[in-house]
Amino acid sequence: MSAAELVALVACDLTAIVRGRAVFVSELQEHLDAGIGWVPANLALTPLGPLAEPNPFGSTGDLRLMPDPDTHLRVGAEPAGSALELVLCDIVDTDGAPWECCPRTFLKRALAELSERAGATVTASFEHEFQLLRPERPHLPFSLAALRSAEPFATTLMSALVEAGVEPELFFAEFASHQFEIPVAPAGGLEAADRAVVLREVVREIARRAGLRASFVPLLDPAEAGNGVHIHISLTDADGRALLHDPEQPAALSRLGGSFAAGVLAHAGALTALCAPSPVSAERLSPHHWSAGALCLGDRNREALLRIPPLLGTARSEHSRQMRLEFRGADACANPYLALGAILCAGLEGIEGGLPSPPVLDRDPATLAPEEAERFGVGALPGSLEEALAALEADEPACRWLGPQLHEAYSSLKRAELAATAGLRLQESCARYAEVY
Ligand code: GLU
Ligand code: MG
């Protein structure tokens, strides 16, 4: 290691851009203790470049990026290159107290509340899709030829993800052009979101080293499937017993799990503003993109916002362990801490309100006659970011989860993105967002 090697201290901002400052590895310990300076207005930077105006921060104030040593990782360098070394940070006030707009702290609070108020511990996993931006004609979906076309990038990437501690499970070619997916092993809620942040950066880094561009843009080509982030969530009690599983209930979803799901569906509009938050995100969520074409709970149904994935084998203990809810409505423009934290807050509202389990849909929601759609509780997701933001404004509990300053900062960012893309055609916005994400 050269004496001048650098380690980046970073935080994932409200628009899922990872920003921070680099320090000498040899001086890391001091920074682990004291953090490093940060500026409130940095959280008002849009993913398109400029500051969102107006924003709640202005030119005043000081903060610290406070590294969490548990997240320290290093992906080794290639010859003549530099290692990717970083530590994820919380954003704190200068006195060390958590800052009210820190997304990672938002998730920590949501996890603590779910534990205190419902006795539930979260295990989660973020499943990412992305595309390599390549001019040549793509190979067929899921084909070996498509997999081979991604070599040696794929093998190098998977080793880098192992090195980064992300625990990737597989690599496969998806449906759209040069599209790939990497599911990762489940972890505790905070670590799962940390892994989502790291996975995106490692994919981009390894692509860059290979002379490629990888993009997690929610939609690259409006004629094709988009890039989703599917968030898998399971809940256990203090003794590690599965809380979502009950073989006596429809689709084996326990009453508590049903209430959690109902809470998520009840707040789906506000959640969309936080989970699918770019001006091109809503287009991915339209029917028949195999993403989340409708607001409903589905058993093994890829058009449902919330899906119960299949339980494999026959052993009840295995089923309890596998049982989870898959939220299909997120994308990589969402901050993983905000997305997961908000889903958990919505689920907790459902549990505390004792909401009844939603009906479980077993078919394509787009084929339902209106009265069937009503019987299955099938609704529509917001058709645009404007509609999603309006749903957030109108959702009093969701505004409360965020708190006034985080809500204001978030809304001003999203309004600035909408204003900046107002004159663009969909395809142009997709191309612009593909450059950033
Ligand atoms: N590409 C789809 C999405 O945008 C997901 C396809 C699948 O993995 O089921 O969410
Ligand atoms: Mg997929």
Side-chain angles (χ1 to χ4, degrees), residues 127 129 142 172 174 181 230 328:
E127 208 174 73
E129 294 169 331
F142 312 109
F172 63 93
E174 254 284 357
E181 174 167 338
H230 300 175
R328 298 174 62 81

Side-chain angles (χ1 to χ4, degrees), residues 55 58 80 98 155 160 194 201 248 264 280 349 369 387 393:
N55 69 67
T155 298
D194 287 340
E201 295 311 316
E248 309 305 322
V264 172
V280 303
E349 299 271 343
E387 279 184 33
E393 295 297 330

Side-chain angles (χ1 to χ4, degrees), residues 280-297:
V280 303
S281 295
E283 207 62 35
R284 167 185 156 254
L285 297 177
S286 50
H288 294 153
H289 277 85
W290 292 63
S291 52
L295 199 176
C296 60
L297 172 66

